[in-house]
Amino acid sequence: MSLNIGRRKMPAPTVYPDAKPFWDAAAEGRLLVKRCRDCGEHHHYPRDGCPFCGSVNTEWRQAGGQGTIYSFSVMRRGEVPYVVAYVTLDEGPSMMTNIVDADADAIRIGQRVAVRFQPSEGGPPLPVFVPV
């Protein structure tokens, strides 16, 4: 018997000043990642300093919104079952997220996914991913 997961209520994130552009873009249905102008690496979670070279010469870039599942866990004990996953974006960084609108028993590591934005309770929408 397969477990079809949907969408659960999500608490609003805390919006810190250095990540505000990320959440503003999410409200517009766009996924941003940081890119270092010195070493060229993309990174997530959004922060001013590059975790690869330490430079603060970073910029926001729009991500394509596609990636692959690196790792996941099916949470079956909650009121609504859900899937927590690390998705590696095509740009390189991995982000923790939820997989939605899918059969939890059919989700696989390496599976292609695409970003969608799910409303949070009283805050900006959250990036979640669906299988493609």
Side-chain angles (χ1 to χ4, degrees):
M1 181 173 136
S2 65
L3 175 64
N4 191 18
I5 55 170
R7 297 182 183 205
R8 63 188 175 103
K9 291 183 180 179
M10 303 288 283
T14 301
V15 178
Y16 295 104
D18 57 339
K20 188 173 182 324
F22 175 85
W23 296 113
D24 290 345
E28 298 171 356
R30 298 182 303 118
L31 180 64
L32 296 184
V33 293
K34 279 290 196 115
R35 181 185 169 277
C36 179
R37 289 182 178 134
D38 290 332
C39 72
E41 294 286 342
H42 289 86
H43 60 272
H44 184 81
Y45 187 82
R47 56 190 166 269
D48 289 334
C50 174
F52 297 99
C53 72
S55 172
V56 293
N57 187 16
T58 61
E59 64 185 342
W60 291 102
R61 287 280 181 100
Q62 184 160 331
Q66 301 275 317
T68 57
I69 296 174
Y70 173 78
S71 178
F72 71 96
S73 184
V74 180
M75 313 305 275
R76 299 175 190 269
R77 293 187 177 206
E79 190 173 309
V80 176
Y82 61 98
V83 175
V84 175
Y86 276 102
V87 168
T88 302
L89 300 173
D90 290 348
E91 291 78 11
S94 294
M95 62 185 299
M96 182 179 270
T97 186
N98 282 234
I99 306 298
V100 299
D101 300 336
D103 177 352
D105 295 326
I107 295 172
R108 299 288 179 256
I109 291 172
Q111 186 173 8
R112 295 289 295 164
V113 290
V115 74
R116 298 290 181 269
F117 291 90
Q118 178 175 326
S120 67
E121 295 182 320
L126 303 168
V128 296
F129 286 78
V130 296
V132 293

